[in-house]
Amino acid sequence: MLIPLKIDNYINKNFKKELKYLVLLRHETLLKTHYSKMSITPYEGRLLSLISKLVNPKLILEIGTFTGYSTLCLAEGLKKEGKLITIEKNKNWKIISDKYFNLSPFYKKISPLHGDALKIIPNLNIKKIDLVFIDADKKNYSNYFDLVISKMNSGGIILSDNVLWHGKLFNNIENSDKISKYINIYNKKLSQDLRIENIILPIRDGLSLSFVKKNRIELMNIE
């Protein structure tokens, strides 16, 4: 946790609470997996939902489904004819995610894919993504970004979770764990890429928000 407990408790008491199927999904994830901390929190879920509603995307790509909590939150902002593609390498979570996708009002809009995202994304027949959420293996964050940036709509948003990595980035990176080094490289990459404007939100474990600039070629020349 990166903010004082009192502030965190106050925030969690003062936002719109979860939909019933999200409560059930969160509880089942806790009971049936050993990795419930991999799931986003209810507060983060409301943030993802709000960002998605602001973008009102026609196409969302999620890299890292886990049990589907973030998927369902992102789906809340889809256009009526919108679609969400979510990719998960670990098939162990499929039973839970599929169950709650089918319980939600978005079951016809969600397309779950299973396998290696690095191999799947280049073969997806999509060119105009409005919103991307990256929350998979941290060592490949930079690779995922490189795969999706050319497919983004101008004005699109790329969200990346865990970019403050438990506060370990504030220590000596050279003596830190490998994931801290990967995340640090990724954060620097985003800060230097002229195609986007990027900020890091100090929410839970850190969420970066990258805005894909409109008319990117002109903007790059100006800068």
Side-chain angles (χ1 to χ4, degrees):
M1 184 178 297
L2 300 173
I3 63 173
L5 182 60
K6 287 184 179 180
I7 296 177
D8 189 65
N9 288 338
Y10 181 81
I11 290 172
N12 282 298
K13 289 178 182 177
N14 290 280
F15 71 93
K16 185 178 178 181
K17 298 303 183 251
E18 303 164 275
L19 297 168
K20 184 175 180 180
Y21 59 83
L22 290 176
V23 175
L24 294 173
L25 169 55
R26 183 163 52 83
H27 289 169
E28 187 162 341
T29 299
L30 180 63
L31 290 172
K32 294 186 177 180
T33 78
H34 298 293
Y35 305 98
S36 59
K37 289 184 178 180
M38 286 172 53
S39 183
I40 63 169
T41 64
Y43 176 74
E44 290 173 291
R46 290 306 86 208
L47 177 62
L48 292 187
S49 170
L50 181 59
I51 292 172
S52 184
K53 287 170 182 173
L54 290 170
V55 176
N56 192 210
K58 187 174 182 179
L59 178 60
I60 299 174
L61 175 63
E62 179 183 45
I63 305 171
T65 313
F66 189 39
T67 58
Y69 192 101
S70 56
T71 316
L72 292 170
C73 293
L74 290 165
E76 292 177 29
L78 280 168
K79 291 184 182 296
K80 185 176 181 180
E81 71 281 12
K83 179 181 180 181
L84 191 160
I85 299 171
T86 182
I87 305 171
E88 175 57 55
K89 191 173 184 178
N90 192 331
K91 290 186 178 181
N92 291 334
W93 323 129
K94 179 176 168 58
I95 293 176
I96 298 176
S97 61
D98 283 355
K99 173 182 176 180
Y100 287 93
F101 292 164
N102 290 330
L103 283 175
S104 80
F106 311 111
Y107 66 97
K108 290 183 179 180
K109 296 183 177 184
I110 298 173
S111 298
L113 302 177
H114 295 274
D116 186 344
L118 294 175
K119 296 178 180 178
I120 291 174
I121 294 172
N123 294 311
L124 290 175
N125 187 25
I126 52 175
K127 293 182 180 179
K128 295 184 178 181
I129 309 171
D130 301 299
L131 181 60
V132 169
F133 182 47
I134 302 175
D135 189 14
D137 54 314
K138 312 311 169 192
K139 70 178 182 179
N140 278 311
Y141 267 31
S142 292
N143 293 325
Y144 295 140
F145 177 85
D146 289 339
L147 286 175
V148 302
I149 186 62
S150 62
K151 299 177 182 291
M152 296 295 299
N153 251 333
S154 292
I157 297 290
I158 300 174
L159 301 169
S160 310
D161 202 14
N162 305 115
V163 293
L164 293 179
W165 197 241
H166 316 306
K168 294 180 180 179
L169 303 186
F170 315 143
N171 301 320
N172 188 334
I173 293 295
E174 294 304 317
N175 296 325
S176 191
D177 60 73
K178 288 184 179 180
I179 294 179
S180 295
K181 294 176 183 178
Y182 289 127
I183 293 293
N184 190 52
I185 290 169
Y186 180 64
N187 289 337
K188 287 184 177 179
K189 178 185 181 74
L190 295 185
S191 70
Q192 296 168 1
D193 195 307
L194 298 179
R195 296 169 293 182
I196 62 171
E197 292 181 28
N198 183 71
I199 60 169
I200 294 176
L201 304 175
I203 295 169
R204 306 303 290 182
D205 199 25
L207 179 73
S208 78
L209 191 157
S210 304
F211 173 78
V212 181
K213 294 178 181 178
K214 298 177 181 179
N215 204 350
R216 284 170 275 177
I217 296 175
E218 277 187 26
L219 285 166
M220 287 174 67
N221 289 336
I222 291 172
E223 294 174 1

